[in-house]
Amino acid sequence: MPIRVLLVGAGAIGAFYGSRLATAPNTLVSALCRSNFRAVKDNGFHVSSPKYGNSTFRPEYAFSNPGEARKAQIKWDYLLVATKALPDLSDDSELLEGLVGPETSIVLVQNGLGVEEPYRKRFPKATVLSAVTIASAAQPSHGKIQHNRWTRISIGPYLPHLDKEGTEESSEDEQANAKNSRFVELLREGGIEDAELYSHAGLQFVRWHKIAINAAMNPSSVLSGGSENQAMALDPELSRHLLAVMEEVLDTAPRVLGKPLPDKLASPQKILESTKKNTSGSKPSMQLDWAEGKRMELEVILGNPIRIAREKGIEMPRLQSMYALLKMAQENRQKQSKL
Ligand SMILES: NC(=O)c1ccc[n+]([C@@H]2O[C@H](COP(=O)([O-])OP(=O)(O)OC[C@H]3O[C@@H](n4cnc5c(N)ncnc54)[C@H](OP(=O)(O)O)[C@@H]3O)[C@@H](O)[C@H]2O)c1
C-alpha cells in the first residue's frame, strides 16, 4: 500500500515539503487547497528551488474544500497541516474532521508555541507530530512555489503527558515515535537531507528557540516600519533590542520546560551575527502579512509564549510590550477597514 499524505494548507511551506515527499518512493501526496485550487487542479504546483531546480508537482488529488476531501474516503497516513496558525481567526483543527482515521498522524508544520493543543483536544487518540522549519519559501502567485533557501525541518511527537516527571513511555507513545521516525525518513528519501528526528521534549526546545528568532525579528520589523532583517541586526539600538528579546525567550524556556537548553542550539549572539551577513533583503513573514493587510501570527508567536510563561509565574516584559502594541494596531486597522 502506498503512503498517502494530504497537505492541509497547500501554500508556500506545505507545497514545498509536499513536492519533496512526492518524490519519495511509494508516497502519494494530495492537497486540500483554497484560493489556489483552480491553478493547482489545472497545472499542479510549479516549484523553483536553488537546491532542487525547477519541477512540477501534481498532487494525486486536489480538493477544493474539506467536504470534498471527506467524500473521497481515503485512509490518510499523514495530514500535513501548514496553514498560518491564527487561532484568533479560526480553529483549523476543524478542517481535519472526518479525515483522521486510526492510523493517521497529524503533522503540524507551523511557527509558534501551543499550536498542537487544538489538534490534541479535538483528536485525543491521534498521533500529533510537531514540526519546526527554518526553510524560506513563498507563493508569489497561485500554484507557483518559490523555495528561497534552507531546508531544515525538525520533527518530534507531541506527548505533553511525558512532561510530568517520572512518566514512563507507553506503547502508544512508542507508536508515535515510530510514526515520527517514518515521516522523517520519508522527507530524507524526498531529498530533505537535514530532516531532524527529535523526542517530544527536544522538539519543544526547538520551538522555543525558533520563537526567540521569530519574536525578535517579526514584531520588530512591523513596529520599525517594515525593516529588513539585516538592517535591524546592523542598527546599533535595534540590535540591542533583538538580542534582549532573544535572551528573554531563551532564559524563559528552560524555566518553563524544567530542563537546561541543549548546547547545540545557536546563541542569540550567533543568530545576530549571521543576520548581519544576510544580504538577501528578506523581511520577516509578519511584516509581509501586515503589509498585505493580512492577519499576523501574533497569538502563537507572542501571545502564547507570554501566557505559557505567566502560568509558571514568569513575565516576559519585552514580548508583552510588543504583543500589546501590535494586537491593538491590528484591532484598530480591522475597525477602520469596516468603517
Ligand atoms: N513561508 C516561510 O518561509 C515559512 C518559514 C518557516 C515557517 N513558516 C510557517 O509555516 C506556516 C505556513 O506558512 P506559509 O508561509 O506556507 O503560509 P501560506 O503561504 O500563506 O500558506 C498557507 C496556506 O494555507 C491555506 N489555508 C488557510 N486556511 C485554509 C483553509 N481553511 N482551507 C484550506 N486552505 C487553507 C492558504 O490558502 P489561501 O491562500 O486561500 O489563504 C494557503 O495556501 C506558518 O505557521 C509560518 O509561520 C513559514
Side-chain angles (χ1 to χ4, degrees):
M1 288 289 278
I3 292 180
R4 282 206 156 81
V5 181
L6 176 66
L7 309 175
V8 179
I13 285 293
F16 167 63
Y17 282 113
S19 72
R20 297 318 310 161
L21 287 165
T23 68
N26 205 27
T27 306
L28 296 172
V29 181
S30 297
L32 167 50
C33 299
R34 195 163 63 174
S35 57
N36 60 2
F37 170 71
R38 201 63 263 162
V40 173
K41 180 86 182 163
D42 291 347
N43 304 311
F45 290 97
H46 291 283
V47 186
S48 65
S49 160
K51 186 169 165 73
Y52 307 102
N54 295 333
S55 60
T56 301
F57 151 49
R58 284 189 183 275
E60 185 189 15
Y61 299 98
F63 302 113
S64 62
N65 60 64
E68 247 186 42
R70 276 194 291 275
K71 261 193 239 150
Q73 296 203 334
I74 291 165
K75 288 183 181 156
W76 301 108
D77 295 287
Y78 295 98
L79 297 172
L80 188 158
V81 180
T83 52
K84 285 264 166 81
L86 299 168
D88 44 335
L89 195 66
S90 59
D91 176 0
D92 287 350
S93 67
E94 204 180 339
L95 301 172
L96 275 50
E97 283 289 3
L99 302 175
V100 180
E103 292 305 320
T104 311
S105 301
I106 301 166
V107 189
L108 302 171
V109 189
Q110 293 179 311
N111 273 331
L113 287 188
V115 294
E116 305 93 344
E117 274 303 294
Y119 295 85
R120 189 186 66 86
K121 284 194 182 124
R122 192 181 287 269
F123 305 105
K125 291 195 180 134
T127 297
V128 176
L129 307 180
S130 184
V132 175
T133 177
I134 61 156
S136 157
Q139 182 177 212
S141 62
H142 288 155
K144 300 252 181 299
I145 304 297
Q146 190 183 311
H147 170 228
N148 297 318
R149 48 197 207 143
W150 300 306
T151 56
R152 192 166 79 224
I153 182 162
S154 314
I155 314 181
Y158 182 64
L159 303 169
H161 54 276
L162 295 181
D163 290 338
K164 216 166 160 204
E165 219 165 300
T167 312
E168 297 280 323
E169 283 198 5
S170 65
S171 59
E172 283 92 28
D173 299 339
E174 278 165 25
Q175 276 173 25
N177 279 314
K179 288 173 174 179
N180 191 54
S181 305
R182 185 70 193 106
F183 194 71
V184 170
E185 247 172 60
L186 283 182
L187 283 163
R188 288 185 188 155
E189 286 167 6
I192 306 288
E193 290 144 16
D194 50 0
E196 296 181 328
L197 186 71
Y198 275 89
S199 64
H200 161 77
L203 198 277
Q204 290 306 311
F205 269 115
V206 178
R207 275 206 177 273
W208 275 89
H209 188 259
K210 182 87 196 281
I211 280 292
I213 303 168
N214 288 147
M217 301 295 172
N218 278 281
S220 305
S221 175
V222 181
L223 290 166
S224 63
S227 312
E228 292 176 1
N229 289 312
Q230 187 191 35
M232 291 192 286
L234 289 172
D235 181 82
E237 276 311 317
L238 203 35
S239 67
R240 289 167 83 104
H241 159 77
L242 297 177
L243 260 186
V245 173
M246 289 192 270
E247 279 160 5
E248 181 172 282
V249 175
L250 296 182
D251 285 349
T252 304
R255 295 168 70 198
V256 168
L257 298 173
K259 295 179 188 85
L261 203 64
D263 289 338
K264 85 177 232 198
L265 300 175
S267 67
Q269 195 62 51
K270 213 167 159 200
I271 295 165
L272 196 69
E273 289 311 316
S274 100
T275 313
K276 282 182 188 168
K277 292 184 209 135
N278 177 357
T279 53
S280 68
S282 61
K283 292 183 180 185
S285 62
M286 199 177 268
Q287 164 56 27
L288 302 179
D289 287 339
W290 174 253
E292 286 177 31
K294 291 183 181 165
R295 198 86 164 187
M296 299 177 284
E297 289 182 302
L298 281 181
E299 295 305 327
V300 295
I301 289 177
L302 297 173
N304 283 351
I306 293 165
R307 285 185 282 271
I308 291 168
R310 203 171 270 161
E311 268 173 33
K312 303 263 175 187
I314 306 161
E315 284 298 319
M316 304 181 81
R318 283 189 185 258
L319 260 69
Q320 197 279 336
S321 298
M322 295 191 292
Y323 176 54
L325 291 167
L326 284 175
K327 198 164 144 57
M328 189 69 99
Q330 186 166 259
E331 280 166 19
N332 285 338
R333 188 159 81 170
Q334 211 174 340
K335 273 187 219 149
Q336 279 162 9
S337 73
K338 282 183 187 151
L339 288 178

